[in-house]
Amino acid sequence: MELDENSLQKFGYIRRETSGSINIDPLQTGGMLTEAARRALVEWGDGYSVCDFCPGTVDIIKKPPINEFVHKALPSFLGIDEVRVTTGAREAKFAIMNSFRNKGDTVLLDGLAHYSSHLAAQRAGLLIEKVPSSASPEYTIDPEDYGHCIEKIIQKTGKPPVLALLTYPDGNYGNIPDASKIASVCHEYDVPLILNGAYSVGRMPVDAGKIGADFIVGSGHKSMASAGPIGILGASEEYADIVFRKSPTHKKKEIEMLGCTARGVSIMTMLASFPAVVKRIREWNREVENARWFSEQLGNMGIRQMGEIPHNHDLMFFEAPILYEISQNAKGGRYFLYKELKARKIHGIKPGLTKNFKLSTYGVGREKLSSVVDAFDEIIKKHD
Ligand SMILES: Cc1ncc(COP(=O)(O)O)c(C=O)c1O
């Protein structure tokens, strides 16, 4: 590519096409910035801005108060002993799994685990076994199946898995499994449990200590109103020294963190949104009510929610045979739904999907959710 004036023009500042739309994209609803984070984004946007007064690693910076945030506020928020900020939930999972890597060892994942949990295990060189979920339409995880799978792994390899992971909730159906029960089952075999809270930490109350999870992982850009990439990794005292072990040559630097992780504006947005995130968690019941109401409204139109009913999370998966049928003859084919929603300034269902899709009602509020319900109703009637 020739880097001349003309070709360079398409780069530079770009407006976001979806700004101002009602957003129901599960990837995006919990990561929307607060006003404070938006201001922090500009104030701290310069490269290594947080390192003005760096004492050696990003997590112990006192000015701005990252040290207090990471070592006091976040552990109390998550109910766990030690926390570090990472560049995402996936990097947190990898850091844990890589600390437990040993040739021939296995990690046990729930059957609904996110692809990034699989990739983290693959990158760490661990073998993967899965706890199956129940069949359609519920897709639930039975805690006892963690025990059955651990037994099977022992039979197969002669030893239990080095780690187990639970996706809480899963990223497809938004199901909330019985995490405490799963933690107890894993502990019967001395298997530490990672709770993947990419869709829970920052949205709903989650206390790793009360659940009995040994590790907790969160995603700032997904659920903590932060500009990404940023995540969090919490570990119980028992395992903190393993995951946060220091370099033998660079005494202040932790190996799995490659010394420093979120070393710029992303941590300042997380910090800026934190007071609002703590507050919004107290409103979780209202979010669940809104999700259930929305699910019922779509159900009345023949768009059926899969997963747990009544639902306990804002992330929902729907099957919509009626929209699929319409797409067979509609202008735009399978893109008709995306276009119809776009025309009504509603964003978040993947272009091309009609038969089934997921969405999130998080933080949207009843009034805007009503507009989304009305939009579906109008679209169906228009094409009837
Ligand atoms: C269930 C679940 N876990 C983990 C992740 C990865 O989060 P991150 O982008 O912070 O690595 C996602 C992202 O889509 C997810 O849906």
Side-chain angles (χ1 to χ4, degrees), residues 26-27 86-93 112-117 167-172 196-199 217-222 229-232 315 358:
L27 281 181
T86 62
T87 42
R90 68 196 69 202
E91 285 81 359
K93 289 181 284 190
L112 302 175
H114 190 246
Y115 78 85
S116 62
S117 300
T167 320
Y168 183 83
D170 69 279
N172 249 353
N196 175 11
Y199 269 113
V217 161
S219 175
H221 44 271
K222 178 165 277 175
I230 190 162
I232 48 171
L315 168 63
K358 50 183 187 175

Side-chain angles (χ1 to χ4, degrees), residues 21 44 58 76 88 133 171 197 223 255 272 330 367 372:
S21 300
W44 296 88
V58 65
S76 147
S133 69
S223 297
I255 294 175
E367 201 181 319
V372 179

Side-chain angles (χ1 to χ4, degrees), residues 112-181:
L112 302 175
H114 190 246
Y115 78 85
S116 62
S117 300
H118 287 259
L119 268 60
Q122 289 159 4
R123 188 178 176 194
L126 292 170
L127 302 171
I128 297 170
E129 292 288 343
K130 288 195 286 181
V131 181
S133 69
S134 73
S136 175
E138 282 99 2
Y139 302 97
T140 48
I141 299 280
D142 180 349
E144 296 303 336
D145 282 342
Y146 270 78
H148 303 145
C149 288
I150 293 173
E151 293 281 356
K152 270 196 223 149
I153 294 169
I154 295 172
Q155 268 176 21
K156 202 162 136 187
T157 67
K159 48 190 174 178
V162 283
L163 289 163
L165 179 143
L166 174 66
T167 320
Y168 183 83
D170 69 279
N172 249 353
Y173 306 102
N175 284 347
I176 309 254
D178 187 341
S180 303
K181 190 78 212 296

